[in-house]
Amino acid sequence: MKLTVWTYEGPPHVGAMRVATAMKGLHYVLHAPQGDTYADLLFTMIERRNHRPPVSYTTFQARDLGEDTANLFKTSLHDAFDRFKPQAMIVGSSCTAELIQDDPEGMAATMDLGIPVIPLELPSYQRKENFGSDETFYQIVKAIARPIERTAHVSANLIGPVGLGFRHRDDIVEVTALLEEMGISVNVVAPMGAAPADIARMGAAHFNVLMYPEHAETAARWMEKNLGQPFTKTVPIGVGATRDFIAEVAGIAGVQPKADDARLRMPWYSQSVDSTYLTGKRVFLFGDATHVKAMARVARDEMGFEVVGLGCYNREFAREIRKLAKEFGVEALISDDYLEVEKAIEDLAPEMILGTQMERHIGKRLGIPCAVISAPVHVQDFPARYSPQMGWEGANVIFDTLVHPLVMGLEEHLLHMFREDFEFHDDAGASHHGGAAKARTVEAEPEADQEAAAVAAPAEGEIVWLSAAEKELKKIPFFVRGKAKRNTEKFALEKGVHEISVETLYEAKAHYAR
């Protein structure tokens, strides 16, 4: 473990909270000190939930460590059972409580409450949040689901949606609609919205739709082996992936593939004349593996972007992401250190970032547009409106999401046309501030020799930009200006030039264009 300002994933017990919060009739008793009791903030503030997470804490303090903290856990378990009357309970330790080795899992196994009490062994110092959600859901399914008679008509379980998931609520609606168009009903959605009694019915479905591998792949593999239920491998994010998903489901279920894409607008929008400015935009992707894999395909094949870098923070999927990166001809970045990600973005200087809330902040600092495509996300990415990522409507939403941060073709042309205007020049304030716009100061252009003479002799290794070169640099679009400046300075140093003129700027441009 290490101290950090930001983190892509919390400890694994946070993943268990995400499963518990998504479900109904399930309660989580967490052996934890006072400082670990922050679940309410995570879910009620960020996800805007209107009810508290079903989590109880033992909340032991420093003075309790010399006494019987194990008994404190037993009391908390009984109190939670009496108060909330759950259908099932899960129990475990936070990363801090793991150090005192009270073994709440073992104690829970000896207590007869008349309901399933499922112990969680989540190694806080070796694994992280997504492992915690995947392992928790697997243990719940393993403890409760059993082989039962299949439904009379073809049905499927939708597995993987959890609390704090990126657009999980709306993705469920889209995937349900895709299945219903083929005459396939949904048996159970889990964890989100499911009670333990629903988990017991999961064996009635003919197959499982694995929506988010990070949270349910282990459970999907267990059900394939023990309940005889195959599961889908395609995540329907983007037009191509949605068509592949429909074909895969039809093959598993033995039905005719049906794709009612009457609501689909993305292909025409991305091919229309005003979208030509999207072609060739250099993008960098980072997030959870599922969304990065899907969005890389969308970016290249459906938006016309050039993928210059990609990576993920969840190391369990490192092999898949490295394979994907090789296919795209780039180097994969597998890291949970946001500073490494920032350095990679700065070095690659993309025109756009597709990432998490962390990359949104990185983009602000570097002056690069960013669209959020993956958890972790902040409150603004839990919109009140319907905003899926999967299916046909998801493709429409993705188009809007990726286009919004970019300057549109006509807008870019107008900005260049009016670059010297008193209101729109680079030093002016925002145009909507009206009277706050600064008038451009027009100065007489100095002669080249006068300009050079006016500049003090630079120190060794120091680069000085002459005013004419600085003015020319500002004509370069803002999203590549930083890279142009760095390349020019590097070229100048290699050539032993310490004063950058307009000629040096264009010589550098020609050098790097080869």
Side-chain angles (χ1 to χ4, degrees):
M1 297 184 75
K2 59 184 177 182
L3 184 64
T4 182
V5 177
W6 291 338
T7 180
Y8 289 98
E9 294 182 88
H13 71 264
V14 174
M17 286 183 193
R18 294 176 66 179
V19 172
T21 304
M23 292 184 65
K24 300 174 182 176
L26 179 77
H27 199 82
Y28 185 19
V29 177
L30 185 64
H31 197 29
Q34 281 185 316
D36 286 354
T37 57
Y38 50 81
D40 284 13
L41 272 181
L42 281 175
F43 297 96
T44 56
M45 183 188 78
I46 295 178
E47 200 174 10
R48 309 187 202 217
R49 283 187 171 265
N50 59 2
H51 57 276
R52 295 181 62 187
V55 183
S56 295
Y57 308 88
T58 57
T59 56
F60 59 83
Q61 301 176 51
R63 64 172 179 264
D64 297 319
L65 295 179
E67 301 175 10
D68 188 3
T69 51
N71 191 56
L72 183 63
F73 169 78
K74 290 181 179 180
T75 302
S76 298
L77 187 67
H78 272 294
D79 289 347
F81 174 74
D82 291 340
R83 179 181 177 186
F84 297 105
K85 302 291 190 297
Q87 296 176 24
M89 301 177 80
I90 54 176
V91 298
S93 300
S94 73
C95 46
T96 310
E98 189 177 320
L99 296 173
I100 62 176
Q101 300 180 333
D102 273 339
D103 188 25
E105 299 85 0
M107 288 185 286
T110 67
M111 301 171 68
D112 184 14
L113 296 178
I115 61 169
V117 179
I118 303 162
L120 302 176
E121 294 186 18
L122 305 175
S124 298
Y125 296 92
Q126 288 82 41
R127 307 305 287 269
K128 293 199 171 186
E129 182 177 325
N130 282 338
F131 168 82
S133 61
D134 184 63
E135 177 69 13
T136 299
F137 184 54
Y138 160 64
Q139 293 295 344
I140 292 169
V141 170
K142 181 182 175 184
I144 299 175
R146 295 291 180 268
I148 57 176
E149 186 180 352
R150 299 280 195 251
T151 55
H153 56 281
V154 180
S155 66
N157 298 316
L158 307 188
I159 60 174
V162 295
L164 289 177
F166 185 61
R167 312 293 171 83
H168 288 196
R169 174 198 68 193
D170 298 340
D171 283 347
I172 292 169
V173 178
E174 275 298 305
V175 174
T176 299
L178 292 175
L179 296 178
E180 287 179 346
E181 286 171 4
M182 291 186 281
I184 300 169
S185 62
V186 173
N187 180 50
V188 172
V189 178
M192 187 170 282
D198 297 315
I199 302 296
R201 296 192 296 108
M202 292 184 73
H206 293 72
F207 65 100
N208 291 308
V209 173
L210 178 57
M211 296 176 66
Y212 309 101
E214 279 85 357
H215 309 301
E217 185 167 357
T218 304
R221 294 188 183 283
W222 184 89
M223 287 188 280
E224 182 177 48
K225 180 179 179 180
N226 294 276
L227 304 183
Q229 296 171 323
F231 64 92
T232 58
K233 312 299 191 297
T234 307
V235 177
I237 295 178
V239 178
T242 298
R243 296 193 191 283
D244 291 347
F245 171 79
I246 289 170
E248 182 184 14
V249 166
I252 292 173
V255 299
Q256 283 295 113
K258 292 182 181 178
D260 182 7
D261 58 3
R263 296 177 292 132
L264 181 62
R265 291 176 288 277
M266 182 202 189
W268 167 243
Y269 276 38
S270 63
Q271 294 168 23
S272 62
V273 173
D274 194 54
S275 293
T276 55
Y277 70 97
L278 300 173
T279 306
K281 289 286 187 188
R282 302 172 69 258
V283 298
F284 177 88
L285 297 95
F286 196 84
D288 69 48
T290 294
H291 286 88
V292 166
K293 286 169 63 179
M295 291 303 297
R297 179 180 178 182
V298 171
R300 182 188 63 184
D301 299 343
E302 298 172 20
M303 298 294 289
F305 293 155
E306 177 190 354
V307 175
V308 297
L310 57 84
C312 73
Y313 56 79
N314 41 345
R315 297 181 183 277
E316 294 88 348
F317 292 83
R319 182 176 297 178
E320 292 180 35
I321 292 299
R322 288 194 177 100
K323 180 181 177 183
L324 178 71
K326 188 175 181 180
E327 177 189 325
F328 277 74
V330 299
E331 186 176 346
L333 174 61
I334 312 298
S335 176
D336 59 0
D337 185 340
Y338 67 93
L339 294 176
E340 282 186 35
V341 178
E342 181 169 355
K343 179 67 167 58
I345 293 172
E346 194 168 6
D347 290 344
L348 289 167
E351 296 165 80
M352 187 180 186
I353 306 166
L354 309 181
T356 71
Q357 177 67 17
M358 248 83 94
E359 283 67 51
R360 190 206 299 271
H361 288 298
I362 290 169
K364 284 179 180 178
R365 286 202 300 278
L366 299 179
I368 302 173
C370 178
V372 173
I373 62 161
S374 162
V377 294
H378 206 6
V379 62
Q380 65 265 49
D381 286 300
F382 289 97
R385 70 185 184 280
Y386 182 61
S387 188
Q389 296 291 285
M390 295 186 181
W392 306 129
E393 190 59 29
N396 295 334
V397 170
I398 287 169
F399 176 84
D400 291 340
T401 300
L402 302 193
V403 166
H404 179 74
L406 293 171
V407 178
M408 293 183 69
L410 178 60
E411 186 180 357
E412 194 170 18
H413 172 70
L414 291 173
L415 285 173
H416 183 77
M417 181 186 295
F418 293 104
R419 184 174 295 278
E420 302 301 322
D421 187 272
F422 79 96
E423 185 179 2
F424 297 108
H425 63 85
D426 287 346
D427 297 325
S431 59
H432 63 272
H433 290 166
K438 302 175 186 176
R440 175 176 288 283
T441 303
V442 180
E443 299 177 357
E445 291 292 329
E447 296 294 330
D449 56 343
Q450 292 176 333
E451 181 180 44
V455 178
E460 187 176 350
E462 183 182 350
I463 292 291
V464 173
W465 282 77
L466 301 181
S467 60
E470 283 190 328
K471 184 177 179 182
E472 196 69 14
L473 180 68
K474 288 181 178 180
K475 294 180 181 179
I476 298 173
F478 69 92
F479 44 80
V480 289
R481 192 180 301 158
K483 183 176 182 181
K485 184 178 181 183
R486 289 192 297 272
N487 283 348
T488 304
E489 290 175 351
K490 180 181 177 184
F491 173 82
L493 285 174
E494 289 174 353
K495 297 296 182 182
V497 176
H498 298 285
E499 293 177 354
I500 295 178
S501 63
V502 174
E503 290 74 21
T504 312
L505 178 62
Y506 280 98
E507 285 173 9
K509 179 183 178 183
H511 172 77
Y512 286 105
R514 290 171 191 157

